[in-house]
Amino acid sequence: MPRVLILGGTTEARALATALTAQPPAPPSTAASTPPLATSTSSPPPTTPAPPSPAAPTPPITVITSLAGRTSAPLQPPGEVRVGGFGGVAGLIAYLRTSGIDVLVDATHPFAAGISANAAAAAAASGVPLIVLRRPGWTEGPEDEWHRVSDLSGAAALLPRLGRRVFLTTGRQGIAAFADVDAWFLARSVEPPAPPMPARLEVLLDRGPFTLDGERRVLDFHRIDVLVTKDSGGDGAKLTAARERGIPVVMVDRPPLPPGVRTAASVEEVRRYVTMRW
Ligand code: NAP
């Protein structure tokens, strides 16, 4: 049975695990299509046309999703799940070998640069084929006011002159970068953040996907005047709500991918890449 390791922690990784674990429909039963035995010997039994041969099904795939273990109650993908770091590149190489992995899929968040670098290095060293699933980033429209920065400290440096009531959607681990900024913050994260944090901070514990109406309510209720986000891609309801209100957006650019890796922009593209190998 082919074995696929998905480095996960994203909606796409769960969707891919679902797509790969979905079994192809069983071929029609031969008993049901066998014609009834003829009861008369005076005429030959009726012949029935042979059923069309079904396309060769892909063999069932063993799918293992790996989670970093950052959240206490992660959404569980179908298939097997393992939790926790591998122990750097050497640990990941050892895991690929001992677990007999045939294909490695990096479906981690576009800002999880450490594990993506490790995946590229481990794949190159072990010879296990790697494909990186990255949803496309967002694109600024004519009615948007975006300020692109290369990292969180760049976002923090820009803030005081763009607004005083900040909606911070960069995740719990990014909050420390704003600890010394003189502004009021609403920070949204799945798990509560830990210090260092801004002095004036309200935390909104929530997990996406988020609706446009919900995002409008958050911006209005908290009188937000600037939004800070990573260029994660996805539905972007918060960006639409910000555009409607003329709220400026500080957009943190993605870190670069490791050089030379094969990439795909959709779950379907990765599913095809994986299943065409068998
Ligand atoms: P990171 O900085 O790239 O990775 C740090 C270390 O965490 C890695 O070296 C690895 O430890 C371990 N790790 C990360 N992802 C792993 C995975 N899927 N399976 C096993 N070990 C993993 O990662 P991060 O930015 O902290 O993100 C952690 C996880 O949260 C990622 O899986 C990512 O998909 C998800 N996530 C991240 C963000 C974000 O903004 N960064 C947002 C949403 C979700 P070892 O070296 O010991 O193997």
Side-chain angles (χ1 to χ4, degrees), residues 5-11 13 65-71 82-92 105-118 134-135 152 169-174 190 230 232:
L5 175 63
I6 302 174
L7 302 173
T10 57
T11 307
T65 297
S66 175
L67 302 174
R70 300 276 191 276
T71 52
R82 68 162 298 286
V83 181
F86 295 95
V89 177
L92 181 52
V105 182
D106 173 4
T108 57
H109 191 272
F111 283 79
I115 187 70
S116 290
N118 290 359
R134 282 288 181 279
R135 58 190 167 199
L152 293 174
T169 62
T170 51
R172 138 181 94 117
Q173 293 177 80
V190 177
K230 293 174 174 172
S232 306

Side-chain angles (χ1 to χ4, degrees), residues 51 56 94 110 148 197 278:
R148 282 202 173 266
M197 300 186 286
W278 294 284

